[in-house]
Amino acid sequence: MATTYVGAIDQGTAGTRFMVFDHDGRVVASAYRRHEQIHPEPGWVEHDPVEIWNNTKAVVTTALNDAGLDATQLGAIGVANQRETTVVWDAETGRPVYNALVWRDRRTVDRVSAMRDTAVADRIRETTGLECDPYFSATKVEWILDNADPLKLDRTRADDVRDRAEAGDLLFGTVDAWLVYKLTGNHVTDVTNASRTMLYDVRDLEWDDALLEEFDVPRSMLPTVRPSSDEAYYGYTDADGFLGAEVPVAGALGDQQAALLGQTCFDPGDTKNTYGVGSFCLMHTGEDAVESEHGLLTTVGFQLSGEPVQYALEGSVFTAGAAIRWLGDVGLLTNDAQTAELARSVDSTDGVYVVPAFDGLGAPHWDCRACGTIVGLTRGTRKAHVVRATLESIAYQTRDVTTAMAADAGVATPSLRVDGGAVKNDFFCQLQSDVVQTDIVRPVVDETTALGAAYAAGLAVDYWGSLDELRWNWQVDRQFEPSLDAETAARKYDRWESAVERSLDWATD
Ligand code: G3P
């Protein structure tokens, strides 16, 4: 009998990856494709859901073909996805009524600002565990229903989008739901993704009527919420479809929660940080939905079939890798690889601080009107100082959220398991350790997001028998310890906090 594997789709902000893993958690096939970032206006960020679906099919097919694998060798498929990004599509034709509104999109800033300091914001915090912010899906789906031009993407229908939603003709979902619908025909989402919509009660585990009413979202549009790893399966791929085989789609999680699973953060206190377009630090808190008093989110970590929901505290940082991309956009770098080289060419930033609040600031500040700021420039400032300050900003933002976590938990984070593109670079990891003043642990398999999605699907089909089996697969590649003394690190961090103050509430109408 041919060897079987588990496949994982990792649909991220910048592109889509498909990976195939063996029982030891080793990668046996992989393919990746970027998609277009659409910016109709400053602060607006959209993706074309059809392009994402086409890319998904392309990477799955390419990865299998390149590795000489057949789809029948896949025991299951799992999905990890950029979270909060909002898709609305026609239940009959399966066509989106508008582009996806991406988590980074700021077009609903005014709507959200008007809700700040009201009873709605309190309800959001108490019920969903989230802060009232444009980041989450609720104001995005509301915007699509109120503003989508029905003629733009779906030329077969000309009647009003909101009327069609109320008549039960439209479906809403985050990107997991969109892909699972395209793969299986079923309209479902997992509990971690539901927890990012600002519409879901994370303790009672149901859609919240009051918030649905506030954002005018008809219940008929909502997907059914299922465990992240589901023995009942979300559905099967179509034997007559692009894959040519009936494979169970048996797990899905938001990408940051997938990384939590992939990093085997199964015990309360286990913490991981993933560096992508943004960076997202999650601490597992077990069956307790711990309420943060320091600007963190209470979110669902994962749920296995038939088991209670596991919660996490999250520090969401909107701009990490995107800050490096910006350095390229303004001509300070010709490629990402130059970043560490230039940063290392100077001993310090010479007093320069870059606060990359391009999409506002997430945790722990939650200021959707914050703007990017550079302070400390002198006549002696060189390109390398600005590049180093930008790289250091990623570490300072991590320290912001680990400080909040320590305050909430009452103990300092002993170590951070890290993953994502940037952690391949040793200089970057050492910088994190020095600034954050904690051990940084890099695992052998750093594609932990895809691995976590594979684990969710593989546990559901019994490819892996227990969490203990997964623990065996996790191996340390390298551990970085702080080489900067605590006092110097604290002094520099004070200056960072002053720089952040200057970036707050800067945007005007
Ligand atoms: O919440 C947004 C997050 O899921 C995006 O992750 O890796 O695409 O930057 P990433």
Side-chain angles (χ1 to χ4, degrees):
M1 205 179 75
T3 322
T4 57
Y5 304 98
V6 175
I9 297 164
D10 174 10
Q11 201 306 296
T13 313
T16 308
R17 191 183 304 283
F18 183 68
M19 294 188 121
V20 178
F21 294 92
D22 69 11
H23 194 264
D24 295 332
R26 281 185 301 238
V27 180
V28 296
S30 176
Y32 179 74
R33 197 173 271 206
R34 298 183 81 88
H35 58 258
E36 191 188 350
Q37 306 294 316
I38 304 164
H39 300 283
E41 291 190 26
W44 293 27
V45 192
E46 299 178 1
H47 293 158
D48 175 358
V50 175
E51 183 190 9
I52 286 181
W53 169 236
N54 287 337
N55 285 358
T56 303
K57 290 189 285 187
V59 292
V60 171
T61 313
T62 307
L64 292 176
N65 288 347
D66 288 356
L69 296 176
D70 189 88
T72 54
Q73 288 177 269
L74 297 177
I77 292 177
V79 179
N81 58 290
Q82 52 169 319
R83 307 167 304 166
E84 301 94 17
T85 298
T86 299
V87 190
V88 176
W89 68 94
D90 186 302
E92 202 181 302
T93 65
R95 279 189 225 154
V97 300
Y98 195 78
N99 276 336
L101 263 52
V102 177
W103 59 275
R104 301 174 57 204
D105 191 287
R106 308 270 98 196
R107 77 188 65 187
T108 58
V109 159
D110 288 341
R111 168 75 167 111
V112 164
S113 298
M115 279 186 293
R116 283 274 159 91
D117 305 322
T118 67
V120 181
D122 291 342
R123 182 168 186 100
I124 289 170
R125 202 170 298 113
E126 282 155 22
T127 311
T128 69
L130 306 175
E131 289 292 328
C132 181
D133 196 90
Y135 173 37
F136 305 104
S137 314
T139 59
K140 300 184 196 299
V141 64
E142 181 183 45
W143 189 94
I144 292 177
L145 297 189
D146 287 341
N147 297 283
D149 174 359
L151 293 178
K152 211 168 176 186
L153 286 179
D154 182 356
R155 293 181 184 284
T156 59
R157 309 280 187 113
D159 45 339
D160 183 68
V161 169
R162 181 165 284 288
D163 286 350
R164 286 165 59 199
E166 269 152 24
D169 294 343
L170 300 184
L171 303 178
F172 150 72
T174 40
V175 175
D176 59 309
W178 166 245
L179 291 180
V180 171
Y181 177 83
K182 297 305 272 182
L183 287 164
T184 68
N186 296 328
H187 187 216
V188 298
T189 193
D190 99 294
V191 62
T192 67
N193 277 294
S195 79
R196 312 298 297 187
T197 57
M198 218 162 80
L199 298 169
Y200 190 70
D201 185 328
V202 288
R203 291 183 180 80
D204 290 349
L205 302 176
E206 59 191 17
W207 299 110
D208 184 73
D209 281 321
L211 292 175
L212 292 177
E213 198 177 313
E214 171 66 32
F215 296 106
D216 228 346
V217 178
R219 210 167 234 283
S220 58
M221 299 184 78
L222 302 172
T224 307
V225 182
R226 305 272 286 265
S228 323
S229 170
D230 194 351
E231 282 169 6
Y233 308 164
Y234 300 153
Y236 289 87
T237 57
D238 183 357
D240 298 323
F242 79 99
L243 207 51
E246 234 182 41
V247 181
V249 179
L253 314 96
D255 53 7
Q256 304 309 323
Q257 284 86 342
L260 193 72
L261 206 62
Q263 288 274 23
T264 63
C265 291
F266 301 148
D267 296 317
D270 289 351
T271 309
K272 72 91 207 178
N273 200 23
T274 304
Y275 303 87
V277 171
S279 74
F280 300 88
C281 188
L282 271 73
M283 178 195 274
H284 186 244
T285 61
E287 290 177 35
D288 290 333
V290 174
E291 216 173 294
S292 175
E293 283 171 18
H294 300 90
L296 302 174
L297 305 176
T298 305
T299 202
V300 175
F302 54 87
Q303 185 186 24
L304 305 181
S305 243
E307 292 191 20
V309 157
Q310 303 290 306
Y311 292 93
L313 271 176
E314 172 175 323
S316 326
V317 169
F318 296 155
T319 306
I324 307 302
R325 205 28 54 91
W326 172 80
L327 288 172
D329 293 345
V330 294
L332 290 176
L333 293 176
T334 46
N335 59 57
D336 289 2
Q338 266 190 324
T339 323
E341 207 181 294
L342 264 168
R344 219 189 333 226
S345 72
V346 285
D347 289 340
S348 75
T349 68
D350 206 17
V352 176
Y353 287 82
V354 173
V355 183
F358 304 136
D359 300 322
L361 285 173
H365 309 286
W366 298 106
D367 183 351
C368 53
R369 294 191 178 275
C371 286
T373 305
I374 304 181
V375 294
L377 298 178
T378 66
R379 185 66 187 82
T381 301
R382 295 286 168 269
K383 178 161 84 171
H385 296 124
V386 176
V387 170
R388 186 175 177 121
T390 307
L391 205 59
E392 286 191 359
S393 76
I394 301 173
Y396 284 124
Q397 293 181 97
T398 304
R399 183 159 172 162
D400 285 343
V401 296
T402 53
T403 304
M405 262 169 198
D408 276 338
V411 283
T413 320
S415 66
L416 267 187
R417 297 183 177 192
V418 296
D419 52 78
V423 309
K424 290 185 175 38
N425 189 294
D426 289 354
F427 177 76
F428 177 84
C429 291
Q430 188 58 54
L431 199 63
Q432 292 291 314
S433 180
D434 289 345
V435 170
V436 184
Q437 291 285 295
T438 195
D439 289 359
I440 294 290
V441 185
R442 180 173 67 194
V444 173
V445 176
D446 57 11
E447 287 296 347
T448 45
T449 299
L451 184 60
Y455 282 163
L459 285 166
V461 298
D462 239 0
Y463 184 78
W464 288 288
S466 68
L467 294 183
D468 280 338
E469 251 182 64
L470 307 183
R471 279 195 179 93
W472 282 105
N473 288 350
W474 189 85
Q475 313 273 344
V476 178
D477 172 52
R478 186 165 165 192
Q479 179 147 343
F480 299 82
E481 287 162 15
S483 63
L484 186 69
D485 67 279
E487 209 179 301
T488 309
R491 205 176 52 243
K492 291 170 89 166
Y493 183 63
D494 278 351
R495 297 289 282 165
W496 159 259
E497 288 191 304
S498 308
V500 169
E501 285 295 320
R502 287 163 168 76
S503 78
L504 296 177
D505 199 22
W506 185 260
T508 53
D509 294 333

